Amino acid sequence: MRIDIWSDYVCPFCTIGEKHLSLALEKYDGDVEINWRSFELDPTAPKEPTQTGVEHLVEKKGMQPAQVEQMMEGLAQRASAVGLDFNWKDQIMVNTYNAHRVGHLAREHGVGNEWDAAMKHAFFTEGKNVASAETMKEVGEKIGLDGALIDDVLATDKYTENVEEEINQARQIGINGVPFFVFDGKLAVSGAQPPEVFTQAIEQVQTM
């Protein structure tokens, strides 16, 4: 079974939803191919950090800081329930476009899953700037990527076409939020659904 996942490294619902999917897949005994697809939650986010995650949401959503903090604490509790450490107080909102380009490099070298997990851990748990070359090299080298290859991607426009193609594909099929999961190109699930919803989707797609 192939699962295409449109996701962004700074999307809390992506991290929770993907964990729920992994729990559902524990009951599936077939082979699974995960294909990560690029999506930017906020293409206008700066490449250099200027706001915390809370400040960013206050500005973008027009919410009060106390409302945002309450929402974030609720997300932290949901994440904790599935074993994820959601350290929202240290998050800094930045642009993820270049991280998606390096993500394509990681996929080419067979460590796409590891890159996605490590980048989200760097952002959500460690509070790192995932737009910085330093963070991307550190994460990449930990999962076995050559730092020189990452430098080369960041110094050029490599994989720009790949990222644009996946973002355009998302628009064409009506994706306006992530996470978004497509099972074998037949069945779509949107959002951080509970594990049982993913289990039902897996069972359903096998009969299609």
Side-chain angles (χ1 to χ4, degrees), residues 1-8 11-25 32-37 116 120 173 175 177-194 197-198 201-202 205:
M1 178 172 56
R2 187 185 80 250
I3 307 175
D4 295 288
I5 306 175
W6 275 265
S7 177
D8 198 4
C11 167
F13 296 103
C14 293
T15 305
I16 294 170
E18 290 150 17
K19 179 61 175 179
H20 288 173
L21 172 64
S22 70
L23 292 173
L25 288 172
V32 178
E33 175 190 345
I34 301 292
N35 291 320
W36 296 100
R37 304 302 185 191
D116 186 84
K120 285 171 178 163
I173 61 179
I175 299 173
V178 286
F180 195 90
F181 308 83
V182 178
F183 294 80
D184 272 344
K186 302 174 183 176
L187 180 67
V189 174
S190 178
Q193 301 295 338
V197 171
F198 290 110
I202 292 167
V205 79

Side-chain angles (χ1 to χ4, degrees), residues 58-72:
V58 167
E59 180 180 309
K60 287 290 181 180
K61 303 294 185 182
M63 300 168 67
Q64 294 298 315
Q67 290 178 294
V68 175
E69 290 175 5
Q70 184 178 18
M71 181 182 72
M72 289 295 212

Side-chain angles (χ1 to χ4, degrees), residues 87 90 118 120-128 138-139 142:
N87 180 21
D90 290 335
K120 285 171 178 163
H121 185 269
F123 178 77
F124 287 109
T125 302
E126 299 177 330
K128 292 188 176 180
E138 178 184 337
V139 168
K142 281 183 179 178

Side-chain angles (χ1 to χ4, degrees), residues 64-139:
Q64 294 298 315
Q67 290 178 294
V68 175
E69 290 175 5
Q70 184 178 18
M71 181 182 72
M72 289 295 212
E73 191 55 42
L75 283 172
Q77 291 174 10
R78 289 180 63 185
S80 178
V82 290
L84 299 171
D85 185 5
F86 185 62
N87 180 21
W88 60 269
K89 293 181 181 179
D90 290 335
Q91 288 169 17
I92 47 176
M93 187 57 63
V94 287
N95 192 286
T96 57
Y97 194 90
N98 285 334
H100 284 295
R101 292 200 299 122
V102 178
H104 279 275
L105 172 71
R107 292 184 221 171
E108 279 194 359
H109 288 264
V111 289
N113 290 346
E114 292 82 356
W115 171 260
D116 186 84
M119 282 295 282
K120 285 171 178 163
H121 185 269
F123 178 77
F124 287 109
T125 302
E126 299 177 330
K128 292 188 176 180
N129 174 7
V130 294
S132 76
E134 180 182 1
T135 296
M136 285 187 266
K137 284 186 67 174
E138 178 184 337
V139 168

